[in-house]
Amino acid sequence: MKRFLALSALLVLSGLVSPVPQCRADGFIIVDEAHWWPGPRPPRPMPPIWPPRPILPPRPYIFAPLEVTYHHVNVKIDGQVATTSVDQEFFNPNPSRLEGTYLFPIPKGAQIDKFKMDIGGKMVEAELLSAEKARRIYEDIVRKAKDPALLEYADRDVFKVRIFPIEPHSKKRITISYTQILKADAGLVSYIYPLNTEKFSAKPIKNVSIKVELASQQPLKSIYSPSHSVEIKRHGSRSATVGFETNDAKPDTDFALFFAPEKDELGVNLVAHKTSGHDGYFMLLVSPGLETKRQNIVPKDVAFVLDTSGSMAGKKLEQAKKALQFCVENLNDEDRFEIIRFSTEVEPLFDKLVRANESNRDKANDFIKELKPIGGTAIDDALTKALALRSGREDGRPLVVIFLTDGRPTIGTTDEDQIVANVKRHNEGRTRVFCFGIGTDVNTHLLDKITEETRAVSQYVLPEEDLEVKVSNFFSKIKEPVLANPTLKFTGDVRVTKLYPSPLPDLFRGDQLVLVGRYSGRGDSAVVLEGTVNGATRKFTYEVSFPREADDHEFIPRLWATRRVGYLLDEIRLHGENAELRDEVTELARRYNIVTPYTAYLIVEDEDRRRVPLAMQSLRQLGEDQLARREAAANWGDFKRDKDGEKALAGARYGHELKNAAAPAAAGDLASVEANRALGLSGSFGRGGSSSITALPAEASKVRLAQHSQQGRFINGKNFFQNTSNQWVDADAQQFQNAKKQRIQFNSTEYFAFAAKNSKALPWLALGQNVQFVLNDTLYEIYE
């Protein structure tokens, strides 16, 4: 019986007519041809162009896609056995009763057992088809529908079940559960749940949630998701809950989770990705976990330095006072602390570091309650006073300064470079100065240079954000130091370079370090991690292996590139631009889809200079939009020049998101929000067409610039740009203009033969009928 694809849903939710079918899908419904009816084909969902382009005549089409109203996933992992339960609901917006077949492609490498399916409250039996049989079904659909979206599943086994009826204007609930044995690599256990709604869902999903309950016989060390910004709650040392939730969204990235049962004190695990003939990429996870011996918790000294100038009046000072009270109450008994208030003058509470006993805490709380906003901003004097607390001390305790200000220096030394030089002279590289910039009037260059010099980080709090929450969350993270001033080296026939974060931050109980870098060479190596614990130097050595080739963990190169771009852009912003920095940012942004209004300008300028042919340009629409391009040039100039104000704040927060990326796709989305904020736009363009941006007609060119920056799709290790409305081009194609070329017509016998022999290309073929990509040094062109 002839069929047609109506919707995806189970292990990934997707959108049929979207030009962005990324990675995997979990299940989908194929509606019988008998239920089709004439109608216009919905346009491919692209981010809106301002002003709207002329509407093209509709292409023939025959049905309205089904919708997914919610998609909930609950996972229970015990050791390496994972049980996944999926609950989702479809909605049929059509006026006719439908009948179809539900297909559930099995993720690659998954050992699935106990597959159960419930449709409308009734248990049903699913038939297991081999990958070969499933491929014939997909190819039949592609031929008839002339849409290649399903080809990316053509190399997998599939579960199949009949669904009837799908009533008009009604909902159909489907639940599935299955069990699988998870694989471990270098001590890291991985779980993958394909979560992709771009291809088949007619509308954004109202609610998408994933909850993973972890249990282990051994204490859990690292728990890390490279795909999503997740919340991790540990329940003791051997169990944890990992959660992700979003509303009105079209997720386009598979959910991935790694966790490591304890095998050593610091929980060190290394995984890598390397292709033949190229330097590799690696990720090193280091986690002390929660089960850290009390004697290994390092007592710390903390100086809280608070700006109480007149501009702090109102909500800012009230939130800052509550944050300081939280920090004081959460000091460890062995800690010492001081509070320094500054405005026109500097006023310490104790004039020295004191024990965090009950009496001193009470005095601190009384002092905090009486703080009043008045006077100017003596930043240099306040920092000098705080750093002097270390003078004459050789006990090895780490000193942490938490510095809160909402303005620029107006009293005493006001020169930015001189203040930074004074910090360097008084610090001697041992004190961490963590800066919180409050509001939009702070000098971001000054605060970022201070944290750069003291191996710390800056955070910037917008007027609408809660300072108390930001500071309290930060202090909870650094509450219990485990290893201070860490250094890292590798032995053996391996050379590692360009490590991020750089320099290494201190390690804290319950926290983890996610380090990425490049490597050359191969073979066994020892990771030597050295630092101080209670003033004494300690050295930890762990055996690891760097592979000659490794196809797994394709997220690592993009994670490394995202952080590298963040560091390079901060170098440009704080210390000036040069051709070398600019060129590397441009190439990495183009190759790994780290494209925002900032980097989009660099890409367009670079391709103009190199005279890249129109058919291979990455951002052709922006290049042809002169008004948007002028906005991009002005925006880049502001990024390099502004030190304070809303644009400077957005630029600083933008770099922070990239430098501290844990999940590259999520970090890119957050960075785009900040880049749009620099344009004066609130909201963001969702990938695949959704938009939360509102703007006046006078800001149309800014909106178009933001939209043009979202034309790329990172799929299976490659970045593709939408060169025209129906043409997708591999970013690597520019480097292969003179390489061997092969043209293949879509839907031809040659086309399906190529798909059958090249499984790596299946997700790229699924982009559409017109695609160019590089594979094995050959430039392939798929054409209608």
Side-chain angles (χ1 to χ4, degrees):
M1 179 177 291
K2 295 180 180 179
R3 302 176 175 91
F4 192 83
L5 175 67
L7 184 72
S8 144
L10 264 177
L11 277 177
V12 177
L13 313 172
S14 317
L16 171 66
V17 294
S18 167
V20 196
Q22 284 202 182
C23 294
R24 301 160 175 79
D26 54 304
F28 41 82
I29 297 174
I30 300 174
V31 177
D32 291 354
E33 187 180 33
H35 298 285
W36 300 355
W37 64 92
R41 179 184 180 104
R44 291 180 177 268
M46 290 176 55
I49 299 291
W50 192 323
R53 292 174 176 169
I55 298 176
L56 301 176
R59 295 159 58 184
Y61 204 57
I62 43 185
F63 90 113
L66 301 182
E67 302 167 9
V68 176
T69 54
Y70 68 78
H71 186 88
H72 299 157
V73 183
N74 284 280
V75 186
K76 294 183 183 294
I77 300 177
D78 189 350
Q80 289 181 232
V81 179
T83 300
T84 301
S85 300
V86 184
D87 180 4
Q88 65 185 89
E89 186 178 72
F90 296 92
F91 175 70
N92 176 14
N94 302 295
S96 300
R97 172 185 288 184
L98 302 178
E99 179 177 356
T101 301
Y102 189 93
L103 298 179
F104 180 90
I106 299 174
K108 288 182 181 179
Q111 304 174 36
I112 288 184
D113 190 18
K114 301 178 182 178
F115 185 89
K116 298 177 182 178
M117 187 169 184
D118 181 300
I119 301 176
K122 296 181 180 180
M123 295 299 298
V124 296
E125 191 78 22
E127 178 186 3
L128 178 61
L129 301 180
S130 67
E132 179 62 26
K133 290 182 179 179
R135 183 174 61 83
R136 288 198 292 267
I137 293 175
Y138 298 145
E139 289 183 358
D140 185 55
I141 295 169
V142 172
R143 287 189 178 95
K144 292 178 173 62
K146 296 185 178 180
D147 192 315
L150 288 181
L151 282 181
E152 62 178 293
Y153 319 120
D155 57 347
R156 305 186 207 178
D157 296 345
V158 65
F159 282 105
K160 170 188 171 185
V161 68
R162 195 76 177 147
I163 296 183
F164 177 82
I166 308 172
E167 299 290 354
H169 303 297
S170 66
K171 298 175 180 179
K172 176 71 71 174
R173 183 186 179 194
I174 296 177
T175 63
I176 287 179
S177 68
Y178 60 90
T179 301
Q180 64 187 114
I181 305 298
L182 303 180
K183 294 182 177 181
D185 179 8
L188 275 179
V189 182
S190 61
Y191 172 82
I192 304 291
Y193 181 84
L195 186 66
N196 181 332
T197 61
E198 288 286 348
K199 285 188 298 301
F200 305 122
S201 186
K203 294 182 179 179
I205 313 303
K206 292 181 181 178
N207 182 261
V208 178
S209 67
I210 296 179
K211 179 182 179 182
V212 182
E213 297 177 72
L214 281 173
S216 173
Q217 295 297 318
Q218 300 295 323
L220 290 166
K221 291 293 188 176
S222 295
I223 302 175
Y224 167 65
S225 173
S227 59
H228 292 76
S229 296
V230 297
E231 180 182 15
I232 300 173
K233 291 186 177 180
R234 293 179 181 261
H235 314 295
S237 62
R238 288 172 168 79
S239 64
T241 301
V242 180
F244 168 76
E245 184 170 7
T246 186
N247 297 316
D248 297 318
K250 288 188 173 184
D252 61 357
T253 304
D254 291 353
F255 179 83
L257 184 69
F258 293 88
F259 62 94
E262 182 180 62
K263 66 174 183 178
D264 44 55
E265 186 173 349
L266 287 182
V268 173
N269 304 92
L270 184 143
V271 290
H273 177 86
K274 191 176 188 298
T275 56
S276 178
H278 299 277
D279 286 352
Y281 302 82
F282 73 93
M283 178 181 73
L284 184 76
L285 296 179
V286 183
S287 175
L290 279 180
E291 202 170 75
T292 301
K293 297 176 182 178
R294 293 305 307 178
Q295 63 265 30
N296 290 338
I297 301 297
V298 181
K300 63 183 179 297
D301 294 337
V302 185
F304 302 101
V305 183
L306 175 62
D307 181 349
T308 59
S309 60
S311 59
M312 284 287 289
K315 183 174 71 173
K316 288 189 286 189
L317 185 56
E318 290 307 310
Q319 289 183 355
K321 289 162 70 172
K322 290 179 181 178
L324 287 191
Q325 288 172 329
F326 173 89
C327 294
V328 169
E329 290 303 317
N330 281 274
L331 288 164
N332 301 321
D333 292 340
E334 300 81 7
D335 293 342
R336 297 182 302 206
F337 76 105
E338 167 70 298
I339 298 177
I340 299 173
R341 174 204 72 78
F342 75 96
S343 54
T344 302
E345 70 291 324
V346 176
E347 179 187 358
L349 170 58
F350 300 106
D351 207 22
K352 62 180 180 179
L353 290 164
V354 298
R355 291 290 300 272
N357 56 35
E358 184 176 354
S359 174
N360 288 331
R361 292 177 203 250
D362 289 341
K363 291 178 184 178
N365 282 321
D366 291 339
F367 180 76
I368 292 169
K369 290 176 184 177
E370 297 302 318
L371 293 176
K372 299 290 190 299
I374 189 171
T377 310
I379 288 179
D380 184 64
D381 291 345
L383 288 172
T384 299
K385 187 70 174 178
L387 293 171
L389 292 170
R390 177 178 283 281
S391 178
R393 292 173 46 242
E394 297 297 336
D395 54 12
R397 293 164 67 112
L399 173 60
V400 174
V401 175
I402 299 178
F403 184 76
L404 295 86
T405 182
D406 77 331
R408 292 157 285 183
T410 59
I411 301 294
T413 301
T414 59
D415 180 73
E416 169 189 316
D417 293 333
Q418 185 59 53
I419 293 174
V420 174
N422 291 342
V423 168
K424 182 177 181 179
R425 184 174 69 254
H426 294 299
N427 181 39
E428 299 178 356
R430 295 179 295 174
T431 299
R432 308 286 181 261
V433 181
F434 294 94
C435 296
F436 286 83
I438 307 165
T440 59
D441 292 330
V442 293
N443 184 329
T444 60
H445 282 212
L446 173 60
L447 298 191
D448 286 345
K449 287 179 179 179
I450 289 171
T451 56
E452 180 183 65
E453 178 61 40
T454 62
R455 296 176 59 171
V457 293
S458 303
Q459 293 191 48
Y460 295 96
V461 186
L462 297 174
E464 64 269 21
E465 294 178 328
D466 193 322
L467 173 64
E468 179 186 357
V469 172
K470 290 263 189 179
V471 175
S472 300
N473 287 344
F474 165 77
F475 191 75
S476 296
K477 177 181 175 182
I478 69 164
K479 178 178 169 64
E480 297 177 318
V482 173
L483 190 68
N485 305 307
T487 60
L488 189 69
K489 66 179 181 179
F490 296 83
T491 67
D493 189 24
V494 175
R495 179 173 179 266
V496 301
T497 58
K498 300 175 182 177
L499 306 180
Y500 298 105
S502 178
L504 292 180
D506 298 334
L507 291 179
F508 301 90
R509 176 177 179 264
D511 192 21
Q512 65 187 5
L513 168 67
V514 180
L515 180 77
V516 289
R518 303 296 307 271
Y519 77 92
S520 57
R522 61 187 175 90
D524 294 335
S525 174
V527 177
V528 181
L529 184 62
E530 188 173 326
T532 58
V533 178
N534 292 323
T537 300
R538 288 201 60 187
K539 183 183 294 187
F540 304 86
T541 303
Y542 303 98
E543 299 300 321
V544 296
S545 179
F546 288 87
R548 180 176 182 176
E549 291 186 25
D551 294 332
D552 294 339
H553 311 304
E554 286 191 333
F555 69 89
I556 300 177
R558 193 182 185 198
L559 176 60
W560 174 85
T562 301
R563 290 188 180 181
R564 173 87 174 153
V565 166
Y567 276 85
L568 293 175
L569 285 174
D570 260 11
E571 188 69 19
I572 290 173
R573 182 173 64 90
L574 299 176
H575 304 292
E577 180 182 18
N578 61 49
E580 184 178 351
L581 293 174
R582 180 179 172 130
D583 289 348
E584 186 174 0
V585 167
T586 303
E587 182 55 32
L588 290 175
R590 176 170 40 229
R591 184 174 182 184
Y592 292 102
N593 196 25
I594 312 168
V595 184
T596 66
Y598 293 128
T599 55
Y601 169 72
L602 300 182
I603 291 171
V604 169
E605 290 292 301
D606 170 70
E607 293 181 3
D608 267 7
R609 177 179 56 82
R610 293 190 293 113
R611 298 186 178 182
V612 175
L614 278 177
M616 287 187 174
Q617 287 183 3
S618 305
L619 298 168
R620 180 174 175 177
Q621 294 93 331
L622 176 58
E624 295 173 346
D625 187 337
Q626 293 303 312
L627 291 178
R629 189 165 174 174
R630 280 201 290 269
E631 288 286 358
N635 192 49
W636 176 246
D638 294 338
F639 175 80
K640 294 186 294 180
R641 180 182 61 252
D642 290 359
K643 296 184 177 182
D644 50 50
E646 292 185 0
K647 291 185 177 182
L649 193 69
R653 285 168 59 107
Y654 169 81
H656 180 272
E657 295 294 350
L658 297 180
K659 287 169 61 176
N660 295 281
D669 289 341
L670 292 172
S672 291
V673 170
E674 298 302 332
N676 290 343
R677 193 192 309 279
L679 292 170
L681 305 174
S682 61
S684 63
F685 281 106
R687 300 184 186 277
S690 61
S691 170
S692 62
I693 285 183
T694 56
L696 300 172
E699 297 174 319
S701 58
K702 295 180 180 180
V703 176
R704 292 201 307 274
L705 170 57
Q707 180 273 323
H708 290 317
S709 303
Q710 297 298 310
Q711 294 300 307
R713 296 294 180 265
F714 194 78
I715 301 173
N716 203 27
K718 281 185 174 291
N719 190 29
F720 287 82
F721 289 98
Q722 196 166 18
N723 184 268
T724 64
S725 61
N726 65 347
Q727 174 77 47
W728 289 89
V729 179
D730 178 3
D732 291 336
Q734 296 179 13
Q735 309 301 324
F736 287 81
Q737 295 183 45
N738 299 319
K740 176 184 176 183
K741 296 181 176 63
Q742 184 172 346
R743 300 183 80 235
I744 303 175
Q745 186 171 16
F746 172 74
N747 245 355
S748 64
T749 302
E750 184 184 10
Y751 175 83
F752 288 108
F754 175 83
K757 293 179 181 178
N758 297 277
S759 60
K760 184 175 179 61
L762 293 176
W764 309 332
L765 294 174
L767 276 167
Q769 300 173 353
N770 297 277
V771 188
Q772 290 186 35
F773 56 84
V774 177
L775 180 65
N776 298 328
D777 295 329
T778 298
L779 179 60
Y780 290 91
E781 180 182 354
I782 310 301
Y783 66 97
E784 288 183 271

